[in-house]
Amino acid sequence: MSAEFADTAVAADARTARGGAGRPAGPASAGGFHLAAGRAADGPYALDISPEKAGWAHSSLRILELPPGGHHSFATGDSEWIVLPLSGGCTVRTDADAEAVEEAVEGAADGGGTFELAGRESVFSGVTDFAYVPRDARVRIDSPAGGRFALTGARCERRLPARYGAASDVPVELRGTGTCSRQVNNFGAAGVFACDRLIAVEVLTPGGNWSSYPPHKHDECRPGEESELEEIYYFEIADAHGTEGLGYQRVTPSGHGRGTDVLAEVRTGDAVLIPDGWHGPSIAAPGHDMYYLNVMAGPGEKREWLICDHPDHGWIRTTWPQQPVDPRLPLYQAPAGDPR
């Protein structure tokens, strides 16, 4: 774990709680893998996780909050990015960074474009459209009404064209049954939307259910069986009856990498870094629906999500055919057509 995150973790333990008060920072926070809301803020970003800050090589996530009429510009550098509205809409404009492209591989795509994102009211209200922007580009995000936007990124080699992703094209998948039922919005999944390295999906878990279960891992490169992928979980938890939402995230050591070990109480704005290890379950407290955004990337030649179930818990899958999917799902479906 990077010294920057480790130092903030120690400081959080000393002062206790999220934002300085409210809940103790537990052992997972001391390890630097659980980042309570606000602890990884930087400049315009409510959350800023880069490979350097995470102490790994590929995956990034930024959460950008813009007031009405607000705007933000950034250079994509050596990473590809998806701009994903969490609440509100925006305009995304991107132009090639001429100097960077000149130094890149000859014949790289120009990668420019302007994309109007309708967005959504919240992550619990519907599927959103999104914009892909390539490496070696300059990007400006404008939001007339304001909003919150996830910038999911991955270091990459190829420079693909900038593109619009329609909400109507996002596959909405139901996984598991019974109390393991959850919904997955596969907007940036491998095989769904073309990227060089980046894999990103949204998971919605009804209150009282477990997701990311059975625990699984992807910390070894085993062709055809398992991918090596760094992963970020970013959480939003629905309030209920005037009470702030909460949930729990578990990661246990797999015998590879850093021996990641996390047992964290998570709330809206929190993130968990998973460089390795068996991750799951993600537990939604009764009455509080859980949302998390997964951002993944790794060194493999193929962009693919291949996982290995924990040998002690994989049997749970054999019970799913005998149970119905939670009737609360899907929380919503993708819209029938492109709203543009």
Side-chain angles (χ1 to χ4, degrees), residues 16 67 72 83 173 187 212 223 275 298 318 320:
T16 75
H72 174 66
V83 180
E173 174 191 0
F187 72 95
S212 283
T318 66
W320 290 351

Side-chain angles (χ1 to χ4, degrees), residues 3-315:
E4 180 173 355
F5 279 173
D7 289 345
T8 59
V10 172
D13 281 341
R15 69 176 185 270
T16 75
R18 173 175 203 267
R23 69 183 155 122
S29 296
F33 298 109
H34 174 214
L35 305 174
R39 283 195 26 226
D42 188 9
Y45 302 118
L47 174 69
D48 185 8
I49 299 171
S50 65
E52 291 81 8
K53 291 178 178 179
W56 57 32
H58 303 281
S59 300
S60 297
L61 175 63
R62 300 168 179 169
I63 303 297
L64 174 68
E65 298 180 345
L66 291 178
H71 63 85
H72 174 66
S73 298
F74 69 100
T76 60
D78 62 359
S79 296
E80 58 186 347
W81 299 84
I82 286 179
V83 180
L84 181 81
L86 300 174
S87 64
C90 65
T91 300
V92 178
R93 296 180 177 87
T94 179
D95 297 295
D97 184 329
E99 182 178 346
V101 171
E102 186 177 346
E103 296 174 358
V105 177
E106 185 177 352
D110 173 71
T114 298
F115 310 103
E116 299 290 342
L117 303 186
R120 55 188 166 184
E121 182 180 348
S122 79
V123 296
F124 297 106
S125 65
V127 178
T128 185
D129 50 358
F130 58 93
Y132 172 91
V133 294
R135 61 168 292 163
D136 303 321
R138 299 186 185 280
V139 179
R140 176 174 168 126
I141 301 172
D142 291 86
S143 183
R148 299 175 62 255
F149 308 95
L151 312 181
T152 66
R155 283 181 173 153
C156 64
E157 289 73 43
R158 292 189 300 152
R159 191 168 191 276
L160 304 180
R163 280 161 289 137
Y164 174 81
S168 57
D169 291 337
V170 175
V172 174
E173 174 191 0
L174 300 185
R175 290 185 190 163
T177 62
T179 55
C180 291
S181 301
R182 61 272 201 184
Q183 171 179 335
V184 184
N185 300 337
N186 287 300
F187 72 95
V192 171
F193 187 84
C195 299
D196 185 32
R197 296 284 182 174
L198 177 63
I199 298 173
V201 302
E202 300 178 303
V203 180
L204 294 120
T205 308
N209 285 6
W210 286 24
S211 59
S212 283
Y213 199 77
H216 59 279
K217 75 180 186 76
H218 40 69
D219 56 15
E220 296 180 87
C221 181
R222 296 187 296 137
E225 296 185 38
E226 184 179 349
S227 309
E228 183 180 351
L229 298 166
E230 307 157 350
E231 185 163 18
I232 302 166
Y233 275 54
Y234 165 75
F235 294 89
E236 297 200 1
I237 316 291
D239 295 345
H241 301 284
T243 302
E244 181 185 12
L246 75 156
Y248 295 89
Q249 177 67 41
R250 186 70 170 116
V251 186
T252 54
S254 66
H256 300 275
R258 304 175 183 176
T260 305
D261 195 346
V262 179
L263 175 56
E265 180 180 298
V266 292
R267 301 180 186 240
T268 293
D270 287 12
V272 172
L273 306 179
I274 305 176
D276 51 70
W278 304 104
H279 40 290
S282 304
I283 304 172
H288 298 279
D289 293 343
M290 169 186 280
Y291 164 95
Y292 53 85
L293 172 63
N294 290 144
V295 182
M296 293 169 274
E301 292 184 7
K302 295 177 65 176
R303 175 179 171 249
E304 56 187 351
W305 183 69
L306 299 177
I307 65 170
C308 175
D309 285 344
H310 194 296
D312 292 344
H313 304 288
W315 63 266

